[in-house]
Amino acid sequence: MDGDLVLKWLSFRGHGRLSDVTSSVAALMEGPPHAKTNAARAYLRRLEVLGHLDLLWPESKWQIRPTVLTQIPGSSAFALVIGQRTAELEERLEAEAVLHKVRAPDTGTTTLGDPGTLLLEYDSEAELSEIAANAGAGFIPCAASSLAANLPLLVPGPRAGGPNTYGSAVEMFNVFQREFTHVEAFRRDGLYKQIVNGRWQYWLLRSGLWSSIGYAEGMCLTMSEVDSQYLQFEILEDAEDPIGTLHVNAGLPLPVQHRQALALCSGVSPVKTTGGPWTYHNVPSSVALAVARSIHQHLKVR
């Protein structure tokens, strides 16, 4: 089964429990059970970043997103189709305009490829909005730019009590070794984690105050204090808002909304070579800057 069939199957299901969909996708992967489960979770996260579904981790649920047509930055001829995808939808879109399916590049991270990218030809924003309405889809002028413009400045989360002294082992992120290590005492400022009810929970300790936080958000805040050179922007098309390629150091995990803003610039997942950075294509300078500012990073332009 390929990525297109997986997305159509998810579109047919619509929603469900995360454990069920993870098990189903894991059955398509290769390797030992634990590795297959991890690969399935990573694959579902990629589909979320591509705008096809939402993963509701606190509720242990998932749901497909409604179909949306949205413009691609730097292009006045092609729009991206994201969200729910069915054979009937594709037929309705093809009846309205020329539809292209572009095979997704190999990300090298799983045995299951991403769904192909659906691109729709259009002549004007008004026409694109009309096509969406006639096909029963939503319309967003440019989802990538909209998401980027609304990215918040990352700050510690709500106040919390911190790790449970009598719970499972506690680990702290070592910024010099770039890994979590076991600690007996947790009094130094930093990012901590502990397994609670079978899942990792994360906290930030700053000036004696604990805050709960997500993994990626905690890593961005922690790493920004020691290094703000994790993002490099390579300009490929000079314009009022230059278009280029954004390279993100693999040691810096980005929050979901930041990855979505970047991935929806092209409609494809970022690519990564062994030992290299994550690379996002067709990114406008404004989007790259918004991402960098949100995570307290300096955008190095070359």
Side-chain angles (χ1 to χ4, degrees):
M1 182 180 288
D2 61 18
D4 292 308
L5 290 177
V6 171
L7 180 54
K8 288 182 178 178
W9 174 73
L10 292 169
S11 297
F12 174 77
R13 291 284 301 275
H15 61 88
R17 295 192 303 176
L18 271 174
S19 56
D20 291 341
V21 73
T22 301
S23 297
S24 297
V25 175
L28 305 174
M29 302 295 183
E30 297 178 356
H34 182 68
K36 292 169 67 172
T37 298
N38 288 339
R41 289 172 179 161
Y43 185 79
L44 292 170
R45 291 189 186 99
R46 289 220 307 279
L47 293 186
E48 181 180 36
V49 167
L50 291 172
H52 298 311
L53 51 80
D54 290 315
L55 302 178
L56 311 174
W57 295 103
E59 304 170 34
S60 297
K61 297 179 180 178
W62 69 275
Q63 62 186 28
I64 200 74
R65 283 189 171 186
T67 306
V68 167
L69 273 58
T70 185
Q71 293 163 304
I72 294 177
S75 172
S76 58
F78 293 100
L80 187 63
V81 183
I82 58 176
Q84 187 177 43
R85 185 182 299 182
T86 63
E88 293 76 16
L89 168 73
E90 292 186 24
E91 290 176 1
R92 292 197 300 270
L93 289 175
E94 288 178 328
E96 297 287 336
V98 178
L99 189 66
H100 302 269
K101 181 176 290 185
V102 182
R103 183 180 177 85
D106 183 9
T107 61
T109 56
T110 70
T111 55
L112 184 62
D114 287 351
T117 303
L118 281 188
L119 297 175
L120 186 115
E121 291 188 23
Y122 72 99
D123 293 322
S124 67
E125 186 174 306
E127 181 195 27
L128 184 58
S129 178
E130 182 179 354
I131 292 172
N134 291 340
F139 168 66
I140 299 176
C142 182
S145 296
S146 178
L147 282 168
N150 289 285
L151 289 175
L153 184 67
L154 291 188
V155 296
R159 293 286 171 81
N164 184 352
T165 306
Y166 302 102
S168 60
V170 177
E171 297 182 16
M172 178 184 180
F173 185 73
N174 187 311
V175 296
F176 301 106
Q177 298 179 8
R178 299 295 197 269
E179 64 181 4
F180 281 91
T181 56
H182 173 72
V183 290
E184 293 292 343
F186 21 100
R187 294 186 292 269
R188 289 184 296 142
D189 283 6
L191 178 64
Y192 293 80
K193 71 175 184 176
Q194 182 183 42
I195 294 179
V196 179
N197 296 325
R199 292 187 58 191
W200 286 109
Q201 298 291 317
Y202 296 85
W203 299 268
L204 269 179
L205 178 61
R206 286 186 169 178
S207 302
L209 298 176
W210 289 100
S211 300
S212 62
I213 199 163
Y215 167 66
E217 292 81 358
M219 286 291 292
C220 285
L221 287 173
T222 300
M223 295 308 300
S224 68
E225 296 176 351
V226 295
D227 193 343
S228 62
Q229 303 288 328
Y230 275 83
L231 275 61
Q232 293 190 12
F233 185 64
E234 181 181 359
I235 296 177
L236 300 178
E237 181 181 334
D238 195 12
E240 182 178 351
D241 189 5
I243 301 289
T245 300
L246 182 67
H247 304 284
V248 181
N249 189 295
L252 186 71
L254 297 181
V256 170
Q257 64 267 35
H258 297 68
R259 286 183 284 148
Q260 284 180 338
L262 295 171
L264 291 181
C265 291
S266 63
V268 299
S269 295
V271 294
K272 179 182 179 299
T273 57
T274 303
W278 287 104
T279 300
Y280 294 86
H281 296 286
N282 197 54
V283 180
S285 175
S286 59
V287 172
L289 279 170
V291 169
R293 288 168 180 163
S294 175
I295 62 175
H296 306 273
Q297 287 286 318
H298 171 73
L299 185 65
K300 184 177 180 180
V301 181
R302 54 178 179 154

